[in-house]
Amino acid sequence: MGDLSKIETVVNWLQSSKKTVVLTGAGMSTESGVPDFRSASGWWTKTDPQQVATVDALESNYPLFHEFYSMRIQLLDKCSPHKGHYILADWEKRGILHHIATQNVDGFHSKAGSRKVDELHGSIYTFRCHSCGRDASKEAFLAKERCAHCQGCLRPNVVLFGEMLPENAWRSALSNIQSADVVIVIGTSLEVYPVNQLPMMTKGKKVYINKEAASHASYFDCILEGKAKEVIMELDDRLIG
Ligand code: NAD
């Protein structure tokens, strides 16, 4: 199948689908200027996420943990959703897309106007005390303050390696994917468990949009190799209604 006929195939699936779900990863946001974790130009060529985005780092090397998340928060303050995020939000309004599950903590789907979004790895915009769980402010976190109540370490409400996923978000993503006619997986290496299990849970058509897609070639019904924003724009150009 050539790229054009693949685009047309996916457009046909979208137009006959009663329920379409999108699952996104860091590659959805790289065109907004947010580095991903594992591609050749990703952050983790310099820093290993398994070392920093962990409960162990938080508890045993808080300065490193704090420096890493402060850097990410400040970078995200300068970034915003791109056209691909806005098109997905528009598809929801038009009834073409019914649900988004995301591994991203940047909140860009909601910022772009999508309403049905499960944030499987939490959000980097809210904060709590790691010890007592009380809410904390971004300013207090960035100023490296301790919890006002118990002196515990402050942290963003992201899911660290080794932590459970938020139960409601997981259940919602799972049931939506199980009942989907089409699942479009965008910009994820599918290396992080348990989210990488989700595409296997559907009986619907599985589409993969990624700039490095070769390693998953046999698993998906259709692979659109390319940049997320560009591929979504191409699909959108051909969608009617
Ligand atoms: P990952 O870095 O493991 O994989 C990203 C994938 O996207 C790679 O396969 C890469 O080739 C592809 N990609 C990069 N740019 C692309 C583009 N423009 N178009 C299409 N594909 C592109 O990321 P992941 O699979 O999401 O890993 C999960 C972890 O990453 C999660 O813990 C998540 O919370 C975290 N993360 C989130 C953000 C964010 O919120 N924006 C950023 C970095 C990492």
Side-chain angles (χ1 to χ4, degrees), residues 138-177:
K138 174 180 167 183
E139 292 68 33
F141 173 78
L142 289 177
K144 230 178 180 178
E145 287 173 15
R146 291 281 178 154
C147 172
H149 301 275
C150 74
Q151 296 302 305
C153 293
L154 303 183
R155 57 169 288 179
N157 279 322
V158 298
V159 177
L160 301 173
F161 285 99
E163 290 185 319
M164 299 283 286
L165 268 54
E167 202 177 326
N168 288 345
W170 174 258
R171 275 177 200 273
S172 167
L174 181 60
S175 77
N176 277 294
I177 283 174

Side-chain angles (χ1 to χ4, degrees), residues 26 30-31 36-38 103 105-106 121 188-189 210 212 228:
T30 54
E31 289 156 282
D36 64 5
F37 280 2
R38 286 180 195 77
Q103 295 167 91
V105 297
D106 55 36
H121 289 167
T188 168
S189 60
N210 206 288
E212 300 163 318

Side-chain angles (χ1 to χ4, degrees), residues 16-53:
S16 57
S17 166
K18 291 196 179 65
K19 183 166 191 173
T20 296
V21 178
V22 160
L23 172 66
T24 61
M28 180 73 207
S29 294
T30 54
E31 289 156 282
S32 288
V34 185
D36 64 5
F37 280 2
R38 286 180 195 77
S39 65
S41 53
W43 251 323
W44 305 106
T45 50
K46 297 182 205 98
T47 316
D48 180 357
Q50 313 267 7
Q51 306 292 321
V52 190

